[in-house]
Short mmCIF file of all heavy atoms in Angstrom, two decimals:
data_model
loop_
_atom_site.label_atom_id
_atom_site.label_comp_id
_atom_site.label_asym_id
_atom_site.label_seq_id
_atom_site.Cartn_x
_atom_site.Cartn_y
_atom_site.Cartn_z
N GLU A 1 27.56 33.60 118.58
CA GLU A 1 28.76 33.25 117.84
C GLU A 1 28.69 33.80 116.42
O GLU A 1 27.61 33.87 115.80
CB GLU A 1 28.94 31.72 117.78
CG GLU A 1 27.88 30.97 117.00
CD GLU A 1 28.25 29.53 116.69
OE1 GLU A 1 29.44 29.18 116.74
OE2 GLU A 1 27.32 28.75 116.36
N LEU A 2 29.85 34.16 115.91
CA LEU A 2 29.95 34.62 114.53
C LEU A 2 29.96 33.40 113.62
O LEU A 2 30.79 32.51 113.79
CB LEU A 2 31.23 35.43 114.33
CG LEU A 2 31.53 35.90 112.91
CD1 LEU A 2 30.48 36.89 112.43
CD2 LEU A 2 32.93 36.52 112.84
N VAL A 3 29.06 33.36 112.66
CA VAL A 3 29.02 32.21 111.76
C VAL A 3 29.60 32.52 110.39
O VAL A 3 30.16 31.64 109.75
CB VAL A 3 27.60 31.64 111.60
CG1 VAL A 3 27.10 31.07 112.89
CG2 VAL A 3 26.62 32.68 111.07
N ALA A 4 29.49 33.77 109.95
CA ALA A 4 30.02 34.11 108.63
C ALA A 4 30.22 35.61 108.52
O ALA A 4 29.50 36.37 109.15
CB ALA A 4 29.07 33.64 107.53
N SER A 5 31.20 36.00 107.72
CA SER A 5 31.43 37.41 107.46
C SER A 5 31.85 37.57 106.00
O SER A 5 32.33 36.62 105.38
CB SER A 5 32.49 37.99 108.39
OG SER A 5 33.73 37.33 108.19
N ILE A 6 31.67 38.79 105.49
CA ILE A 6 32.02 39.04 104.10
C ILE A 6 32.55 40.45 103.98
O ILE A 6 31.97 41.40 104.50
CB ILE A 6 30.81 38.79 103.16
CG1 ILE A 6 31.23 38.87 101.70
CG2 ILE A 6 29.66 39.74 103.46
CD1 ILE A 6 30.18 38.30 100.73
N THR A 7 33.67 40.58 103.28
CA THR A 7 34.27 41.90 103.10
C THR A 7 33.52 42.68 102.02
O THR A 7 32.67 42.14 101.30
CB THR A 7 35.74 41.75 102.68
OG1 THR A 7 35.79 41.15 101.38
CG2 THR A 7 36.52 40.89 103.67
N SER A 8 33.88 43.94 101.89
CA SER A 8 33.25 44.75 100.86
C SER A 8 33.53 44.22 99.47
O SER A 8 32.73 44.39 98.55
CB SER A 8 33.74 46.20 100.98
OG SER A 8 35.15 46.25 100.83
N GLY A 9 34.64 43.52 99.32
CA GLY A 9 35.00 42.95 98.03
C GLY A 9 34.40 41.59 97.74
O GLY A 9 34.61 41.02 96.67
N GLY A 10 33.65 41.07 98.73
CA GLY A 10 32.95 39.82 98.51
C GLY A 10 33.67 38.58 99.00
O GLY A 10 33.23 37.47 98.73
N MET A 11 34.74 38.76 99.77
CA MET A 11 35.45 37.59 100.30
C MET A 11 34.78 37.16 101.60
O MET A 11 34.71 37.92 102.56
CB MET A 11 36.91 37.92 100.54
CG MET A 11 37.73 36.75 101.01
SD MET A 11 39.50 37.05 100.90
CE MET A 11 39.73 37.14 99.14
N ALA A 12 34.30 35.92 101.60
CA ALA A 12 33.55 35.40 102.75
C ALA A 12 34.38 34.43 103.58
O ALA A 12 35.25 33.74 103.06
CB ALA A 12 32.27 34.72 102.28
N ASP A 13 34.07 34.41 104.86
CA ASP A 13 34.73 33.49 105.78
C ASP A 13 33.65 32.89 106.67
O ASP A 13 32.64 33.55 106.96
CB ASP A 13 35.77 34.24 106.62
CG ASP A 13 36.68 33.30 107.37
OD1 ASP A 13 36.83 32.13 106.94
OD2 ASP A 13 37.26 33.71 108.40
N TYR A 14 33.88 31.65 107.12
CA TYR A 14 32.87 30.91 107.87
C TYR A 14 33.47 30.22 109.07
O TYR A 14 34.62 29.78 109.05
CB TYR A 14 32.23 29.84 106.97
CG TYR A 14 31.68 30.38 105.67
CD1 TYR A 14 32.47 30.43 104.53
CD2 TYR A 14 30.38 30.87 105.60
CE1 TYR A 14 31.98 30.95 103.34
CE2 TYR A 14 29.87 31.38 104.42
CZ TYR A 14 30.68 31.42 103.29
OH TYR A 14 30.18 31.93 102.12
N THR A 15 32.66 30.08 110.10
CA THR A 15 33.08 29.25 111.20
C THR A 15 33.06 27.80 110.76
O THR A 15 32.30 27.42 109.86
CB THR A 15 32.18 29.48 112.43
OG1 THR A 15 32.78 28.92 113.58
CG2 THR A 15 30.80 28.88 112.21
N GLU A 16 33.89 27.00 111.39
CA GLU A 16 34.12 25.64 110.91
C GLU A 16 32.84 24.81 110.82
O GLU A 16 32.66 24.03 109.89
CB GLU A 16 35.14 24.95 111.83
CG GLU A 16 35.72 23.67 111.27
CD GLU A 16 36.54 23.90 110.01
OE1 GLU A 16 37.22 24.96 109.91
OE2 GLU A 16 36.50 23.03 109.12
N SER A 17 31.95 25.00 111.77
CA SER A 17 30.76 24.15 111.85
C SER A 17 29.77 24.37 110.72
O SER A 17 28.87 23.54 110.52
CB SER A 17 30.06 24.35 113.19
OG SER A 17 29.60 25.68 113.31
N VAL A 18 29.93 25.45 109.97
CA VAL A 18 28.97 25.74 108.90
C VAL A 18 29.61 25.69 107.52
O VAL A 18 28.90 25.84 106.51
CB VAL A 18 28.27 27.10 109.10
CG1 VAL A 18 27.68 27.20 110.50
CG2 VAL A 18 29.21 28.26 108.82
N LYS A 19 30.90 25.48 107.47
CA LYS A 19 31.57 25.44 106.17
C LYS A 19 30.98 24.33 105.29
O LYS A 19 30.76 23.23 105.74
CB LYS A 19 33.07 25.21 106.36
CG LYS A 19 33.81 26.44 106.83
CD LYS A 19 35.31 26.18 106.97
CE LYS A 19 36.04 27.44 107.41
NZ LYS A 19 37.48 27.22 107.60
N GLY A 20 30.75 24.69 104.05
CA GLY A 20 30.16 23.74 103.10
C GLY A 20 28.65 23.75 103.10
O GLY A 20 28.03 23.20 102.18
N ARG A 21 28.05 24.37 104.11
CA ARG A 21 26.58 24.42 104.19
C ARG A 21 26.03 25.84 104.08
O ARG A 21 24.92 26.04 103.60
CB ARG A 21 26.10 23.79 105.50
CG ARG A 21 26.48 22.33 105.67
CD ARG A 21 25.79 21.73 106.88
NE ARG A 21 26.14 22.40 108.13
CZ ARG A 21 25.27 23.00 108.93
NH1 ARG A 21 23.99 23.05 108.61
NH2 ARG A 21 25.67 23.57 110.06
N PHE A 22 26.80 26.80 104.55
CA PHE A 22 26.38 28.20 104.54
C PHE A 22 27.14 28.94 103.45
O PHE A 22 28.35 28.72 103.27
CB PHE A 22 26.68 28.88 105.87
CG PHE A 22 25.80 28.47 107.02
CD1 PHE A 22 25.14 27.25 107.05
CD2 PHE A 22 25.62 29.34 108.09
CE1 PHE A 22 24.34 26.89 108.12
CE2 PHE A 22 24.81 28.99 109.16
CZ PHE A 22 24.17 27.78 109.18
N THR A 23 26.44 29.81 102.75
CA THR A 23 27.07 30.66 101.74
C THR A 23 26.60 32.09 101.93
O THR A 23 25.40 32.36 101.91
CB THR A 23 26.74 30.19 100.32
OG1 THR A 23 27.14 28.82 100.15
CG2 THR A 23 27.47 31.04 99.29
N LEU A 24 27.57 32.97 102.13
CA LEU A 24 27.27 34.38 102.37
C LEU A 24 27.66 35.19 101.14
O LEU A 24 28.78 35.09 100.66
CB LEU A 24 28.02 34.89 103.59
CG LEU A 24 27.81 36.33 104.00
CD1 LEU A 24 26.35 36.64 104.25
CD2 LEU A 24 28.64 36.65 105.25
N THR A 25 26.71 35.96 100.64
CA THR A 25 26.97 36.82 99.48
C THR A 25 26.42 38.22 99.77
O THR A 25 25.67 38.41 100.71
CB THR A 25 26.29 36.26 98.21
OG1 THR A 25 24.89 36.12 98.45
CG2 THR A 25 26.87 34.91 97.82
N ARG A 26 26.84 39.16 98.93
CA ARG A 26 26.34 40.51 99.11
C ARG A 26 26.03 41.14 97.76
O ARG A 26 26.69 40.83 96.76
CB ARG A 26 27.31 41.37 99.91
CG ARG A 26 28.63 41.63 99.26
CD ARG A 26 29.60 42.29 100.25
NE ARG A 26 29.20 43.65 100.60
CZ ARG A 26 29.64 44.28 101.71
NH1 ARG A 26 30.48 43.67 102.53
NH2 ARG A 26 29.26 45.52 101.97
N ASP A 27 25.04 42.00 97.79
CA ASP A 27 24.66 42.78 96.61
C ASP A 27 24.83 44.24 97.00
O ASP A 27 23.96 44.82 97.67
CB ASP A 27 23.21 42.45 96.22
CG ASP A 27 22.77 43.14 94.94
OD1 ASP A 27 23.30 44.22 94.62
OD2 ASP A 27 21.89 42.61 94.26
N ASN A 28 25.94 44.82 96.62
CA ASN A 28 26.24 46.17 97.08
C ASN A 28 25.24 47.22 96.58
O ASN A 28 24.84 48.09 97.37
CB ASN A 28 27.67 46.55 96.69
CG ASN A 28 28.71 45.81 97.53
OD1 ASN A 28 28.44 45.43 98.67
ND2 ASN A 28 29.88 45.59 96.98
N PRO A 29 24.82 47.20 95.32
CA PRO A 29 23.82 48.20 94.91
C PRO A 29 22.53 48.11 95.70
O PRO A 29 21.88 49.13 95.94
CB PRO A 29 23.59 47.87 93.43
CG PRO A 29 24.86 47.23 93.00
CD PRO A 29 25.31 46.43 94.19
N LYS A 30 22.16 46.91 96.12
CA LYS A 30 20.93 46.74 96.90
C LYS A 30 21.19 46.87 98.40
O LYS A 30 20.24 46.79 99.19
CB LYS A 30 20.29 45.38 96.62
CG LYS A 30 19.75 45.23 95.21
CD LYS A 30 19.04 43.90 95.03
CE LYS A 30 18.43 43.78 93.65
NZ LYS A 30 17.73 42.48 93.46
N LYS A 31 22.44 47.02 98.80
CA LYS A 31 22.81 47.13 100.22
C LYS A 31 22.25 45.94 101.00
O LYS A 31 21.69 46.11 102.10
CB LYS A 31 22.31 48.44 100.82
CG LYS A 31 22.90 49.67 100.17
CD LYS A 31 22.37 50.93 100.83
CE LYS A 31 22.90 52.17 100.15
NZ LYS A 31 22.37 53.40 100.77
N THR A 32 22.40 44.78 100.46
CA THR A 32 21.82 43.59 101.05
C THR A 32 22.84 42.46 101.06
O THR A 32 23.60 42.31 100.11
CB THR A 32 20.57 43.16 100.26
OG1 THR A 32 19.62 44.22 100.27
CG2 THR A 32 19.92 41.93 100.87
N VAL A 33 22.83 41.69 102.13
CA VAL A 33 23.60 40.46 102.19
C VAL A 33 22.64 39.29 102.33
O VAL A 33 21.54 39.43 102.89
CB VAL A 33 24.62 40.45 103.35
CG1 VAL A 33 25.70 41.50 103.13
CG2 VAL A 33 23.94 40.64 104.68
N TYR A 34 23.08 38.16 101.81
CA TYR A 34 22.25 36.96 101.80
C TYR A 34 23.04 35.80 102.42
O TYR A 34 24.20 35.60 102.07
CB TYR A 34 21.86 36.58 100.38
CG TYR A 34 21.16 37.67 99.63
CD1 TYR A 34 21.86 38.51 98.77
CD2 TYR A 34 19.80 37.89 99.80
CE1 TYR A 34 21.23 39.52 98.08
CE2 TYR A 34 19.14 38.91 99.11
CZ TYR A 34 19.86 39.72 98.25
OH TYR A 34 19.23 40.72 97.58
N LEU A 35 22.38 35.08 103.30
CA LEU A 35 23.00 33.90 103.89
C LEU A 35 22.18 32.69 103.45
O LEU A 35 21.06 32.50 103.94
CB LEU A 35 23.05 34.01 105.41
CG LEU A 35 23.76 32.85 106.12
CD1 LEU A 35 25.26 32.86 105.76
CD2 LEU A 35 23.58 32.94 107.63
N GLN A 36 22.72 31.93 102.53
CA GLN A 36 22.07 30.71 102.08
C GLN A 36 22.49 29.58 103.02
O GLN A 36 23.69 29.35 103.21
CB GLN A 36 22.49 30.37 100.65
CG GLN A 36 21.89 29.09 100.11
CD GLN A 36 20.39 29.17 99.91
OE1 GLN A 36 19.88 30.19 99.46
NE2 GLN A 36 19.68 28.09 100.24
N ILE A 37 21.51 28.93 103.60
CA ILE A 37 21.79 27.86 104.56
C ILE A 37 21.20 26.56 104.03
O ILE A 37 19.99 26.44 103.85
CB ILE A 37 21.17 28.18 105.93
CG1 ILE A 37 21.55 29.58 106.40
CG2 ILE A 37 21.61 27.15 106.95
CD1 ILE A 37 20.86 30.00 107.69
N ASN A 38 22.05 25.61 103.78
CA ASN A 38 21.62 24.31 103.28
C ASN A 38 21.90 23.21 104.31
O ASN A 38 22.65 23.42 105.26
CB ASN A 38 22.35 23.99 101.97
CG ASN A 38 22.05 24.98 100.86
OD1 ASN A 38 20.94 25.52 100.78
ND2 ASN A 38 23.04 25.23 100.02
N SER A 39 21.30 22.06 104.07
CA SER A 39 21.51 20.89 104.94
C SER A 39 21.36 21.28 106.42
O SER A 39 22.22 20.97 107.24
CB SER A 39 22.90 20.30 104.68
OG SER A 39 23.06 19.94 103.33
N LEU A 40 20.28 21.94 106.72
CA LEU A 40 20.07 22.44 108.09
C LEU A 40 20.02 21.30 109.09
O LEU A 40 19.46 20.22 108.81
CB LEU A 40 18.80 23.27 108.15
CG LEU A 40 19.01 24.73 107.73
CD1 LEU A 40 17.69 25.34 107.27
CD2 LEU A 40 19.60 25.52 108.86
N LYS A 41 20.58 21.57 110.25
CA LYS A 41 20.61 20.62 111.35
C LYS A 41 19.89 21.21 112.56
O LYS A 41 19.82 22.44 112.69
CB LYS A 41 22.06 20.32 111.74
CG LYS A 41 22.93 19.83 110.60
CD LYS A 41 24.38 19.66 111.06
CE LYS A 41 25.27 19.19 109.93
NZ LYS A 41 26.68 19.03 110.37
N PRO A 42 19.40 20.38 113.44
CA PRO A 42 18.74 20.91 114.65
C PRO A 42 19.64 21.87 115.43
O PRO A 42 19.15 22.84 116.00
CB PRO A 42 18.43 19.65 115.46
CG PRO A 42 18.23 18.59 114.41
CD PRO A 42 19.25 18.91 113.35
N GLU A 43 20.94 21.61 115.41
CA GLU A 43 21.85 22.49 116.15
C GLU A 43 22.05 23.85 115.48
O GLU A 43 22.71 24.73 116.04
CB GLU A 43 23.22 21.82 116.34
CG GLU A 43 23.84 21.26 115.08
CD GLU A 43 23.58 19.76 114.91
OE1 GLU A 43 22.43 19.32 115.14
OE2 GLU A 43 24.52 19.06 114.51
N ASP A 44 21.47 24.05 114.30
CA ASP A 44 21.48 25.37 113.67
C ASP A 44 20.36 26.25 114.22
O ASP A 44 20.30 27.45 113.88
CB ASP A 44 21.33 25.25 112.15
CG ASP A 44 22.50 24.57 111.49
OD1 ASP A 44 23.66 24.86 111.89
OD2 ASP A 44 22.28 23.76 110.57
N THR A 45 19.49 25.68 115.03
CA THR A 45 18.40 26.46 115.61
C THR A 45 18.96 27.59 116.46
O THR A 45 19.76 27.36 117.37
CB THR A 45 17.50 25.56 116.47
OG1 THR A 45 16.86 24.60 115.62
CG2 THR A 45 16.45 26.38 117.20
N ALA A 46 18.55 28.81 116.13
CA ALA A 46 19.08 29.99 116.82
C ALA A 46 18.38 31.23 116.27
O ALA A 46 17.69 31.17 115.25
CB ALA A 46 20.59 30.11 116.60
#
């Protein structure tokens, strides 16, 4: 399942089950994206 996506301009979208807990950001010069996951639940195991 898709949990999060982010456009080149930095606009992020999330699946409902992770909203408020997951934060997706990107650093374009470093060509890197980061997914911060807080308040982890057993059902996040994957």
Side-chain angles (χ1 to χ4, degrees):
E1 66 167 341
L2 176 65
V3 295
S5 61
I6 188 166
T7 66
S8 59
M11 184 166 293
D13 193 23
Y14 306 91
T15 194
E16 195 64 35
S17 63
V18 308
K19 284 182 179 178
R21 299 189 299 120
F22 288 25
T23 303
L24 181 56
T25 57
R26 65 189 292 160
D27 185 332
N28 288 332
K30 293 184 177 180
K31 299 181 182 179
T32 301
V33 294
Y34 303 97
L35 184 66
Q36 178 68 40
I37 309 175
N38 297 328
S39 303
L40 276 157
K41 305 176 181 180
E43 51 263 44
D44 294 319
T45 295

